[in-house]
Amino acid sequence: MENRPTAYQRPSSDASLRWGILRRSLLPRSSSRTDHGLQESTDNISRKAVSGFNLIYWRALDDHFPETLGYPLKGKDALKPRDICILYKLPVGNIPEISLIQRRGNCIELNDFEVSTRHDVDTTGLVCCWPSEDVLAYFCISHSDVFRSKKVLELGSGYGLAGFSIAACTDASEVVISDGNPEVVDYIQHNISINAGHFGERRVSAMMLHWSQEHPSEILNTFDVIVASDCTFFKEFHESLAWSVISLLKHSEESEAIFLSPKRGDSLEKFLQKIREIGLHYQLIENYDETVWNLHQKFLKGKNNSWPNYDKDHFYPLLVRIKFFPFS
């Protein structure tokens, strides 16, 4: 006889549902009825967005995308079954689509957790392009003047949509796209090779940068602009992230770090406290772009059903501008 849930069954706890998310990631091809029910429940607890703000149009290529993209398709560098190519159409002029190789949805492997433990990093950069990254990329393109002739660093980039957008759409002199997870950095390096023709004379590079480790002396206080999205969630990294900013940002009145981060409970507040403690100055701005703000309001009021589990505390990124000197 088929087992069916009854009104008297105890609802699953948040913890068990999150274990369900992990199970779905490790067994992505499972299609049992149990997993279908589990997916429906975990979708309600997951903080990973299904759609996001969709400020940058994207489409996925099939498994046999053209070799003209430049991706090395032979040997150890061949496109793996776990990977997919996403084309992002950047919303400016005649800029062609940016091609990013990344993991398929929910495709996290056991080896990823071993790498995460060994390097003391998380695996969030492998999961997807998170909503705040989409907003950061759009914001950087819309404020391209900020990057003119500047040396730019993206911290905790994941697949680096913002960094690639700056490299392709602004007049930055140099863009460094960094992450602390070596697997993520491998993806960034491959994607730089694929998109090299879009960068003009700009120098674009990937860097493994762990906030808690000593940074190379040659990059200390050399960056005019630092950008980051949704990097303040884990409180145990707040101090090292704050010190990374003060160590890597050029010590000048014009230099600044631009963070886009949701509140996520008191996580953002705690990070800003660290920023104050080490002597940096910041501005916290809620309404920083008309398009982003209007979408946020529609999601809040349920006028856009593409994001049914929208929660402003976890999804709406606030703009944080950080400087060495007080804002005028």
Side-chain angles (χ1 to χ4, degrees):
M1 179 180 296
E2 181 182 10
N3 291 324
R4 297 184 181 182
T6 71
Y8 301 100
Q9 284 184 309
R10 182 178 179 179
S12 300
S13 68
D14 287 359
S16 66
L17 290 174
R18 290 192 174 96
W19 275 111
I21 295 173
L22 175 59
R23 180 175 184 270
R24 282 166 49 201
S25 297
L26 296 176
L27 302 172
R29 293 180 177 83
S30 175
S31 60
S32 69
R33 286 176 178 166
T34 300
D35 283 343
H36 284 312
L38 180 61
Q39 176 160 351
E40 183 176 348
S41 297
T42 54
D43 283 344
N44 291 327
I45 195 65
S46 174
R47 291 307 183 186
K48 176 186 172 185
V50 175
S51 296
F53 288 87
N54 284 327
L55 293 160
I56 297 180
Y57 172 79
W58 62 271
R59 61 189 176 93
L61 289 181
D62 60 29
D63 294 338
H64 305 289
F65 63 90
E67 293 190 22
T68 54
L69 287 176
Y71 188 80
L73 296 176
K74 298 180 180 179
K76 68 181 181 62
D77 290 325
L79 189 70
K80 299 175 176 60
R82 68 188 185 187
D83 296 334
I84 191 169
C85 181
I86 304 293
L87 300 187
Y88 292 92
K89 178 61 178 176
L90 304 182
V92 320
N94 297 319
I95 298 296
E97 292 172 314
I98 295 295
S99 310
L100 298 186
I101 305 298
Q102 57 191 65
R103 292 286 183 89
R104 296 179 182 274
N106 290 332
C107 194
I108 297 294
E109 302 173 341
L110 284 173
N111 179 65
D112 300 328
F113 294 100
E114 190 275 328
V115 171
S116 173
T117 300
R118 180 165 15 112
H119 293 273
D120 190 25
V121 293
D122 59 74
T123 60
T124 53
L126 288 171
V127 175
C128 66
C129 177
W130 294 86
S132 293
E133 178 82 359
D134 174 51
V135 178
L136 178 61
Y138 179 83
F139 179 85
C140 292
I141 293 170
S142 302
H143 297 79
S144 59
D145 287 351
V146 171
F147 306 100
R148 182 172 291 121
S149 301
K150 300 295 178 60
K151 183 178 180 180
V152 183
L153 170 68
E154 182 175 12
L155 289 174
S157 67
Y159 294 113
L161 178 59
F164 281 102
S165 297
I166 294 169
C169 299
T170 78
D171 291 324
S173 61
E174 181 177 356
V175 179
V176 178
I177 306 172
S178 74
D179 200 274
N181 189 316
E183 293 185 294
V184 174
V185 175
D186 284 344
Y187 279 98
I188 298 169
Q189 188 59 64
H190 284 313
N191 288 328
I192 289 174
S193 299
I194 292 172
N195 296 285
H198 303 326
F199 303 148
E201 299 300 317
R202 284 173 290 285
R203 298 188 299 276
V204 183
S205 60
M207 177 180 290
M208 183 171 168
L209 194 64
H210 196 299
W211 305 334
S212 299
Q213 297 175 0
E214 185 175 354
H215 303 318
S217 59
E218 63 270 18
I219 66 171
L220 295 179
N221 300 117
T222 61
F223 292 97
D224 301 293
V225 183
I226 295 175
V227 300
S229 63
D230 212 352
C231 285
T232 64
F233 176 49
F234 296 106
K235 296 177 183 177
E236 59 266 33
F237 297 141
H238 281 177
E239 185 167 2
S240 57
L241 176 56
W243 279 108
S244 291
V245 172
I246 204 170
S247 300
L248 299 172
L249 192 64
K250 185 182 294 185
H251 200 278
S252 73
E253 291 188 5
E254 294 77 24
S255 301
E256 70 174 314
I258 299 171
F259 280 38
L260 279 172
S261 295
K263 288 183 177 179
R264 295 187 180 272
D266 65 349
S267 185
L268 178 58
E269 179 184 344
K270 294 291 187 183
F271 172 71
L272 295 178
Q273 181 179 331
K274 290 293 183 184
I275 289 295
R276 289 192 299 269
E277 289 174 359
I278 65 174
L280 291 172
H281 302 267
Y282 71 86
Q283 283 184 337
L284 181 63
I285 306 171
E286 184 177 18
N287 184 354
Y288 48 85
D289 182 273
E290 182 179 2
T291 299
V292 177
W293 182 256
N294 288 340
L295 282 171
H296 167 58
Q297 294 300 315
K298 288 180 180 179
F299 291 135
L300 275 180
K301 298 173 183 176
K303 293 183 178 180
N304 188 325
N305 59 9
S306 67
W307 204 341
N309 65 334
Y310 184 77
D311 177 348
K312 69 176 183 179
D313 183 73
H314 285 83
F315 292 135
Y316 182 67
L318 302 177
L319 172 64
V320 182
R321 298 178 61 205
I322 303 171
K323 290 192 171 190
F324 278 106
F325 301 96
F327 289 84
S328 55

